[in-house]
Amino acid sequence: MIQVHNGAEFPHIITGTGDLPTWLKANKAVADEALAVAGTVLFRGFNITTPEDVDATVEAYGEAGFTYGDSLSNAVRVNLTPRIFTANEAPPDVSIFLHHEMAQTPLFPSKLFFSCMIAPETGGSTPICRSDIVFDRLQIETPELVAALSAHGVRYSNTMPGQDDPNSGQGRSWRSTLSCETRAEAETRLSNLGYTYIWNEDDTLRVTSPALPAIKTLPDGSESFFNQLIAAFRGWKDARNDPSKSVTLGNGEPLDVDALGTAIQIADELSFDLNWQVGDVALIDNFRVMHGRRPYTGKRRVVAALIA
Ligand code: FE2
């Protein structure tokens, strides 16, 4: 069911026909106005069938891109055009829990485009969730968590493989993540970004981020639960990673697990399942809205682009 927050439908759906790039070029202000209040705009019914169509849509939107190569994303992805890549190569039975894209790193996009090329047989929706509304609820239900996050921020730790591991939602190798070949180059990049790190004997690399803000003030003055806590705490689990060791407060102290459980429950309650139809394009404000991926069966192809 479409949600309504502060008088705006979430998501905001724009139904049309014909060429989306042409529409968007002429109506960018309409899309941006809807995005500013709703946090997500879904374009449905337009003539979108290939990654090149999605690339043209992003081009028509006209804002600077943010490439996967430059990002510190921990997901394995495949570029299809210079702007467009597969959303996540993790296996179909893996849930990707709610997160703000790359909020676990100092470099994150402001907006995201997603588009469905192939819809799965069952499941595979993209849950989206208003983080500003989550924040409002947290302030009432777990004010201590909000206070601790405001005071200290949060640090994320994860162990990266030496080579891409497509079986994991966090399987991007340290070489790819840090755009380097040698350990010395990796260390320089990490030091410049304020990370600490430990090399393991099996060529894996454990890194811990600097303290990053976990709450973000939005242009309209509202505050957003802008972080990667839910995904890290629930989902950073693979051969190398134990989710209970993935997050701490910025001062190194543990997070209150019960309060995090409350945050997870509130976010689940506020999630809207975007059930993809082929040709759908979603534009998401990465600062206001979290996203994830439900498990699925069949073949699914959702492609993505990032806006700086
Ligand atoms: Fe994501």
Side-chain angles (χ1 to χ4, degrees), residues 75 77 87-88 96-97 99-102 112 114 228 291-292:
R77 293 167 171 164
N88 193 318
I96 298 175
F97 294 103
H99 60 281
H100 290 278
E101 195 64 28
M102 300 176 203
L112 321 167
F114 287 122
Q228 188 93 228
H291 65 276

Side-chain angles (χ1 to χ4, degrees), residues 247-304:
V247 285
T248 66
L249 286 172
N251 61 3
E253 286 176 13
L255 278 145
D256 178 340
V257 171
D258 290 340
L260 265 184
T262 302
I264 289 168
Q265 193 192 326
I266 291 170
D268 278 348
E269 272 175 42
L270 289 168
S271 289
F272 173 87
D273 271 354
L274 216 168
N275 287 309
W276 293 106
Q277 296 179 12
V278 171
D280 281 350
V281 175
L283 173 58
I284 294 179
D285 176 345
N286 189 41
F287 296 153
R288 194 184 294 277
V289 172
M290 293 188 267
H291 65 276
R293 189 197 75 185
R294 307 265 187 221
Y296 63 94
T297 61
K299 194 167 159 55
R300 176 188 191 268
R301 174 149 279 189
V302 172
V303 299

Side-chain angles (χ1 to χ4, degrees), residues 9-304:
E9 289 195 342
F10 173 73
H12 181 94
I13 301 176
I14 295 177
T15 311
T17 53
D19 189 57
L20 182 56
T22 305
W23 187 92
L24 203 48
K25 229 176 245 169
N27 297 284
K28 180 172 190 288
V30 174
D32 281 342
E33 216 169 288
L35 188 67
V37 292
T40 299
V41 179
L42 176 65
F43 303 95
R44 179 161 277 175
F46 291 91
N47 189 10
I48 295 283
T49 54
T50 66
E52 286 72 22
D53 294 338
V54 186
D55 190 293
T57 301
V58 179
E59 164 88 25
Y61 189 65
E63 294 191 13
F66 183 108
T67 70
Y68 172 61
D70 290 342
S71 78
L72 299 169
S73 164
N74 49 14
V76 176
R77 293 167 171 164
V78 178
N79 263 99
L80 303 172
T81 77
R83 281 194 191 82
I84 307 297
F85 48 81
T86 58
N88 193 318
E89 294 289 298
D93 60 332
V94 172
S95 283
I96 298 175
F97 294 103
L98 291 169
H99 60 281
H100 290 278
E101 195 64 28
M102 300 176 203
Q104 81 281 19
T105 82
L107 309 168
F108 35 75
S110 65
K111 301 172 196 174
L112 321 167
F113 276 95
F114 287 122
S115 181
C116 179
M117 306 282 94
I118 301 171
E121 267 167 41
T122 64
S125 64
T126 291
I128 50 176
C129 177
R130 285 278 297 257
S131 264
D132 52 338
I133 310 299
V134 171
F135 180 88
D136 292 346
R137 290 266 308 265
L138 286 174
Q139 254 192 326
I140 296 165
E141 295 179 36
T142 61
E144 304 80 8
L145 177 68
V146 172
L149 291 174
S150 299
H152 304 296
V154 59
R155 284 180 198 272
Y156 303 89
S157 298
N158 71 300
T159 301
M160 295 182 273
Q163 304 296 332
D164 280 353
D165 172 7
N167 291 316
S168 164
Q170 297 75 43
R172 194 180 184 194
S173 71
W174 58 262
R175 290 179 173 83
S176 169
T177 304
L178 301 169
S179 309
C180 66
E181 278 305 319
T182 68
R183 291 190 174 198
E185 287 168 347
E187 291 177 4
T188 302
R189 182 97 200 270
L190 287 168
S191 298
N192 289 340
L193 291 164
Y195 280 70
T196 57
Y197 52 85
I198 298 168
W199 292 102
N200 298 314
E201 280 177 10
D202 56 359
D203 196 36
T204 63
L205 172 62
R206 184 154 185 85
V207 299
T208 297
S209 76
L212 297 170
I215 293 161
K216 189 170 181 65
T217 304
L218 302 177
D220 65 359
S222 59
E223 292 186 278
S224 168
F225 189 63
F226 179 76
N227 56 64
Q228 188 93 228
L229 282 171
I230 292 175
F233 186 71
R234 292 185 88 174
W236 285 9
K237 188 161 141 191
D238 62 18
R240 295 166 298 279
N241 288 286
D242 171 355
S244 71
K245 298 192 171 73
S246 63
V247 285
T248 66
L249 286 172
N251 61 3
E253 286 176 13
L255 278 145
D256 178 340
V257 171
D258 290 340
L260 265 184
T262 302
I264 289 168
Q265 193 192 326
I266 291 170
D268 278 348
E269 272 175 42
L270 289 168
S271 289
F272 173 87
D273 271 354
L274 216 168
N275 287 309
W276 293 106
Q277 296 179 12
V278 171
D280 281 350
V281 175
L283 173 58
I284 294 179
D285 176 345
N286 189 41
F287 296 153
R288 194 184 294 277
V289 172
M290 293 188 267
H291 65 276
R293 189 197 75 185
R294 307 265 187 221
Y296 63 94
T297 61
K299 194 167 159 55
R300 176 188 191 268
R301 174 149 279 189
V302 172
V303 299

